[in-house]
């Protein structure tokens, strides 16, 4: 099994170099048109992408067919079917299958074998995600888990929005604490004392703008802060 996974990753890396397509290729295959896949497909359409929607459920395909570039009823666990649909010619593919882990793994493996350069796959658990990562899937998302963490941060603190990245780095929108107000940011020592950087500011009734060392934050301003997750959490809890 380990040798198979290793060989699959090597073949995918080789095909990436052979089949890399220009950035202008805005075609994506979305496999699985449940809530996650259909929402993503519709948003991609709104942004001007060509979307091929694939699902085994004819009712879902019929439901979303008018809103997508193409929508077909097909079994993507069969590599021959994906080949007939031309998915190997797409620059991107999304595996939105959630409840059927076996199908998710098979479809992801087929896409890797086909040499699709950019693959995103939905995982329903950390174990599922680890299997997809071992296969060599470049982008694994756990929407329910990630949303749960995000909402927990919003519920338990003063954060208005929270985004965490893989390397323990976070971007947060919050009401400015007192330590950041009343003097230019360059003199506030926010970065040296709290390990965070204020990158944006929004005053009541105004749009967001970039923050500089000369920016003076006033009480009630909303700021965007970046830094290590723990440092950002501590900073947003300050009065």
């Amino acid at each position: 099994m380990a040798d198979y996974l290793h060989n699959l990753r090597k073949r995918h890396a080789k095909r990436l170099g052979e089949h890399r397509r220009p950035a202008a290729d805005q075609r994506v295959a979305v496999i699985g048109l449940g809530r996650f896949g259909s929402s993503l497909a519709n948003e991609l359409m709104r942004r001007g992408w060509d979307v091929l929607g694939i699902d085994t459920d004819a009712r879902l395909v019929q439901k979303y067919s008018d809103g997508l570039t193409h929508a077909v009823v097909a079994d993507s666990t069969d590599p021959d079917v994906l080949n007939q649909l031309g998915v190997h010619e797409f620059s991107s593919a999304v595996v939105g299958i959630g409840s059927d882990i076996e199908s998710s793994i098979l479809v992801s493996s087929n896409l890797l074998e086909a040499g699709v350069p950019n693959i995103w796959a939905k995982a329903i658990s950390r174990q599922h995600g680890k299997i997809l990562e071992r296969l060599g899937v470049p982008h694994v998302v756990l929407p329910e888990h990630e949303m749960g963490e995000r909402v927990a941060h919003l519920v338990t603190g003063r954060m208005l929005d929270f985004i965490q990245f893989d390397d323990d780095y976070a971007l947060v929108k919050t009401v400015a604490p007192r330590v950041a107000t009343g003097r230019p940011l360059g003199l506030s020592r926010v970065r040296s004392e709290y390990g965070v950087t204020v990158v944006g500011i929004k005053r009541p009734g105004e749009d967001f703008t970039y923050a500089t060392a000369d920016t003076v934050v006033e009480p009630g301003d909303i700021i965007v802060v970046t830094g290590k997750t723990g440092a950002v959490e501590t900073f947003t809890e300050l009065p």
Side-chain angles (χ1 to χ4, degrees), residues 7 60 62 74-75 80 88 120 122 126 145 203 228 239:
N7 290 333
L60 288 176
Q62 178 64 33
D75 180 7
D80 291 334
H88 59 285
W120 285 261
K122 172 188 174 183
R126 290 193 181 277
H145 175 78
R203 303 192 192 284
K228 290 289 187 180

Side-chain angles (χ1 to χ4, degrees), residues 205-224:
E206 299 181 10
D207 294 331
F208 267 105
T209 186
Y210 293 110
T212 69
D214 297 324
T215 299
V216 178
V217 179
E218 301 294 342
D221 286 349
I222 295 173
I223 57 176
V224 176

Side-chain angles (χ1 to χ4, degrees), residues 77 97-109 128 132:
T77 63
I97 301 169
S99 57
D100 189 342
I101 295 179
E102 181 179 356
S103 293
S104 168
I105 294 170
L106 285 173
V107 172
S108 298
S109 178
H128 182 193
L132 293 172

Side-chain angles (χ1 to χ4, degrees), residues 26 40-51:
Q26 292 189 311
L40 183 144
N42 286 328
E43 177 62 19
L44 288 169
M45 287 292 297
R46 190 186 70 81
R47 296 187 178 205
W49 281 61
D50 290 329
V51 178

